[in-house]
Amino acid sequence: MATTTLTTSSSSTGIAASAGLSALFGLVLIVLAGHVQADALHAAAHDVRHATGFPCH
């Protein structure tokens, strides 16, 4: 009878890099959203609602 062993390993460097890039991306999104005009955000959200078929009026 044959057995198969599956081993997985993840380096802490890879996990730290992934977490760091995710945090950086989140920070960039927050900063950009904080500096954009409210009308531009509303228009973008409105267009997405129409494109996905959600009612917005």
Side-chain angles (χ1 to χ4, degrees), residues 12-13 22 25 32 41-43 45 47 52-54:
S12 59
T13 304
S22 296
F25 182 66
L32 289 177
L41 280 177
H42 175 78
D47 291 345
T52 56
F54 287 107

Side-chain angles (χ1 to χ4, degrees), residues 29-41:
L29 285 177
I30 289 171
V31 170
L32 289 177
H35 288 289
V36 72
Q37 297 295 321
D39 289 338
L41 280 177

Side-chain angles (χ1 to χ4, degrees), residues 8-33:
T8 60
S9 66
S10 58
S11 68
S12 59
T13 304
I15 293 172
S18 179
L21 287 174
S22 296
L24 180 63
F25 182 66
L27 183 62
V28 167
L29 285 177
I30 289 171
V31 170
L32 289 177

